[in-house]
Amino acid sequence: MKVFSGIRPSGELHIGNYLGAIKQWVELQEKHECVFCIVDFHAIITAYKPEELQKNILELTIAYLAAGLDPEKCILFVQSEVKEHSELAWLLGTITPLGDLKRMIQFKEKSKKYPEHASAGLLNYPLLMAADILLYKADLVPVGKDQKQHIELTREIAKRFNKTFGDVFILPKALLPEAGQKIMSLQEPKKKMSKTDSPAGYIGIFDEPEKIKEKIMTAVTDSGKVVKYDLERKPGISNLLTIYSLFSGKTIKILEKKFNGKGYYEFKMGMALLLIESLEKFRKKRKELLAREVYLREILSRGKNRAQVIAQSTMREVKNKMGLI
Ligand code: AMP
Ligand code: TRP
């Protein structure tokens, strides 16, 4: 199987990105042909600081490697370095109804939240994402739940292209993790954990131990005492249990038993220790990599060359079918 996925270089990675996406990638690279991208063209659609973009790209490269991606086992590259992505996005736009783009939940939410950035780029975001995936003829796209709709649209676009011009594209499927497809904010457990949240709402994968402890201890729960999974009545505790379970490998049932008769304080202390320990290896690897910028740039440059060969070959087929030179 072929696998493609990407993350925007727009600040720190949090444990939602890790549990929702990267954890699967690390497993997939063992068995499949994987391409993982740093989608910088997607990061500039809402407000950003140009002077920080390069740093964010290198930070995300470090995060990919620290979390366990191996450049010998998968292709790692930066989206804007392979120009076929924007070229194909333009072509896909010519066969995509405007209504399909306008009904995307992310477009609706973001254009409402940031009306000053409701650009054509924001509307066209899923076209670029479809181009990313289709260029590499990916069968599987491991992502969190928020991206499912975009991948369904990608399938529709691929189908329409194949029907109109002849078969070129594979119809991709979203691959969602069984648990952890939507990790919630620690401060507002009915909202997803997000980079644009206040830092108290998320745990960065490189957060220092004191910070991790502080964020978990101040996570919003409820006025009860029982550590029990109940999404309706105990969204905060349920979210913490999900995170605890995914990092420990223990089921939620076992955790409920373990903390039976103990209060939230003890549960949170246990969880803080677990996360501090689980994220320790990421922090250590990051420290090593921070001093190796030349090595990081080499990985990206090699990744770019490998990705380009695939992307150019697909573009030749696309142009040929569409009657372009
Ligand atoms: P983004 O940071 O929006 O570029 O997202 C990168 C990846 O992380 C995508 O696959 C998202 O679906 C996933 N993701 C982002 N936030 C969460 C979350 N709170 N829970 C689970 N997965 C998430
Ligand atoms: N849109 C995705 C997000 O916000 C990032 C992304 C861009 C992506 N291109 C992709 C994910 C291709 C999977 C495949 O998280």
Side-chain angles (χ1 to χ4, degrees), residues 33-46:
E33 273 177 61
C34 294
V35 182
F36 298 120
C37 188
I38 292 172
V39 289
D40 54 347
F41 273 172
H42 278 117
I44 60 174
I45 281 167
T46 44

Side-chain angles (χ1 to χ4, degrees), residues 148-314:
K148 194 163 172 248
Q149 195 189 26
H150 289 155
I151 292 158
E152 279 158 9
L153 178 63
T154 302
R155 268 180 91 80
E156 290 308 309
I157 294 175
K159 241 191 247 172
R160 194 173 300 114
F161 184 97
N162 288 350
K163 206 171 130 210
T164 312
F165 299 109
D167 280 351
V168 173
F169 296 129
I170 300 288
L171 308 188
K173 274 205 197 101
L175 184 68
L176 303 183
E178 257 169 62
Q181 27 178 282
K182 193 171 183 187
I183 300 295
M184 308 311 261
S185 158
L186 300 181
Q187 289 299 315
E188 293 173 83
K190 297 231 161 179
K191 274 175 53 184
K192 82 166 180 182
M193 183 177 280
S194 153
K195 284 180 244 198
T196 46
D197 226 3
S198 80
Y202 65 83
I203 296 177
I205 65 165
F206 298 129
D207 271 355
E208 293 295 334
E210 313 81 71
K211 257 213 188 131
I212 296 177
K213 188 167 161 207
E214 191 187 310
K215 288 181 186 179
I216 292 178
M217 298 318 281
T218 54
V220 169
T221 53
D222 54 75
S223 56
K225 284 200 180 73
V226 189
V227 178
K228 188 172 176 314
Y229 191 90
D230 181 341
L231 263 189
E232 257 321 295
R233 270 168 293 181
K234 291 169 161 290
I237 288 290
S238 304
N239 187 40
L240 295 182
L241 272 169
T242 302
I243 298 171
Y244 199 134
S245 159
L246 289 168
F247 274 104
S248 64
K250 297 197 172 95
T251 63
I252 290 182
K253 278 271 160 295
I254 287 181
L255 294 174
E256 285 174 345
K257 245 190 224 145
K258 179 174 157 92
F259 290 101
N260 185 17
K262 303 183 177 145
Y264 291 171
Y265 179 80
E266 215 166 308
F267 169 60
K268 283 179 161 184
M269 282 298 277
M271 177 164 172
L273 280 180
L274 169 72
L275 261 74
I276 289 170
E277 213 180 279
S278 310
L279 298 176
E280 165 74 33
K281 57 178 186 297
F282 296 174
R283 286 193 299 277
K284 219 172 125 210
K285 192 87 201 279
R286 174 171 181 266
K287 279 210 187 100
E288 277 169 40
L289 289 167
L290 271 175
R292 302 183 64 193
E293 190 173 327
V294 176
Y295 168 70
L296 297 174
R297 291 202 185 274
E298 249 171 49
I299 289 177
L300 293 178
S301 157
R302 206 155 59 91
K304 171 197 147 187
N305 292 333
R306 292 172 66 196
Q308 209 165 39
V309 172
I310 306 172
Q312 284 175 346
S313 151
T314 306

Side-chain angles (χ1 to χ4, degrees), residues 7-8 16-17 20 143-144 146-147 180-183 193 195:
I7 294 184
R8 292 169 298 135
N17 299 131
V143 283
D146 57 342
Q147 296 304 315
Q181 27 178 282
K182 193 171 183 187
I183 300 295
M193 183 177 280
K195 284 180 244 198

